[in-house]
Amino acid sequence: MVHLARLLQFSDSTLPIGSFAFSNGLESALQTGVVTNPESLLKYVDLILRQTARMDGIALLHAHRAAVVGDYEAILEADSELFCRRVGEEQQMMLTRVGKKFAELVLKIMPSPMLERWLDDIKANATAGCLPIGQALALAHMGVDEVEAFVMHQYGIASMILSAALRLMRIDHLDTQRILFTAQGRVEGDYLAVRDLSLDEMASFAPVFDVLVAHHTTTHVRLFMN
């Protein structure tokens, strides 16, 4: 029971790590008409979850496995490979800023020597500090298995986008909860699709999303950091 309670704590959308400042491209999607209503928002969330599973999700699984066996070099490799594949300065900023804050938060709550070492390397600019890697280290330390860690990460991405949607478009909490419930139905399939892939196989083909990321950097009116 304690295990589940703590897992729920770290998956809470109110976790104070700064994710509220990011929309994962939704702001530009609304400005350009890619997202216009709840139906297109669901399609957008679905796209991001698919993309994230095949990028961040793979890195998280490798980092989690490395943390379980104490292979710190493999953790750094997963961090580097993910950071290099995330296109766009704002996407990299989101991953690393929230990743560092997550590590700092967790270390205030519980001791974790490997997570502390990782945070020291972030501060020394020896590693990028991507959020999925920090999540993998913390959850492995807590005894959370890789499936639960993957599910928690994917939930957090969907929750981040839908939280932003409430502030950016005409939509209510009932619609966002419906979208969240529907979108989470794909998580098992996504896990099964990526669990055996190597870091070299991390890839995502989402050109519209990449254009939206680029568009946001030139927008004059912005509520979010990406």
Side-chain angles (χ1 to χ4, degrees):
M1 292 176 67
V2 173
H3 170 84
L4 176 58
R6 289 175 174 167
L7 182 60
L8 290 172
Q9 178 181 355
F10 284 118
S11 62
D12 194 327
S13 60
T14 62
L15 198 67
I17 57 175
S19 59
F20 65 88
F22 299 94
S23 72
N24 223 321
L26 179 62
E27 187 165 27
S28 282
L30 287 161
Q31 291 171 346
T32 57
V34 172
V35 173
T36 57
N37 53 36
E39 288 69 32
S40 55
L41 176 60
L42 172 58
K43 292 179 181 178
Y44 184 80
V45 172
D46 197 63
L47 165 70
I48 300 302
L49 290 178
R50 182 184 186 281
Q51 183 201 48
T52 302
R54 285 152 180 79
M55 293 276 286
D56 306 54
I58 294 173
L60 179 143
L61 292 175
H62 280 267
H64 186 281
R65 293 164 188 167
V68 169
V69 299
D71 187 347
Y72 188 70
E73 292 304 314
I75 291 167
L76 295 184
E77 181 186 11
D79 201 5
S80 175
E81 292 294 327
L82 175 58
F83 184 77
C84 290
R85 283 170 172 77
R86 269 299 176 192
V87 178
E89 180 182 351
E90 290 186 346
Q91 283 291 298
Q92 292 177 339
M93 178 178 65
M94 178 185 73
L95 276 179
T96 57
R97 183 171 295 184
V98 179
K100 181 181 178 182
K101 290 295 183 183
F102 179 83
E104 291 172 342
L105 171 67
V106 172
L107 290 172
K108 290 288 186 181
I109 297 173
M110 67 176 188
S112 172
M114 190 171 289
L115 188 64
E116 186 172 3
R117 181 180 178 185
W118 185 68
L119 180 58
D120 287 342
D121 280 343
I122 293 172
K123 293 177 178 178
N125 294 318
T127 195
C130 298
L131 174 63
I133 309 304
Q135 291 175 322
L137 295 181
L139 296 177
H141 180 73
M142 291 166 54
V144 174
D145 67 38
E146 67 172 51
V147 176
E148 294 170 318
F150 182 88
V151 170
M152 193 198 85
H153 176 265
Q154 295 296 97
Y155 172 85
I157 295 298
S159 180
M160 177 197 302
I161 299 170
L162 293 171
S163 176
L166 287 168
R167 289 172 279 169
L168 286 169
M169 60 189 294
R170 291 184 177 180
I171 193 169
D172 61 30
H173 290 83
L174 298 178
D175 275 329
T176 57
Q177 287 301 309
R178 175 181 58 82
I179 290 170
L180 180 61
F181 185 85
T182 302
Q184 288 302 297
R186 65 171 298 130
V187 69
E188 182 176 1
D190 281 335
Y191 171 75
L192 294 175
V194 306
R195 66 179 179 180
D196 296 322
L197 298 182
S198 68
L199 288 175
D200 288 340
E201 292 176 289
M202 281 196 299
S204 176
F205 182 72
V208 172
F209 177 73
D210 292 338
V211 170
L212 293 175
V213 170
H215 168 271
H216 196 262
T217 62
T218 61
T219 303
H220 295 295
V221 179
R222 298 193 298 182
L223 292 177
F224 292 86
M225 298 184 73
N226 83 337

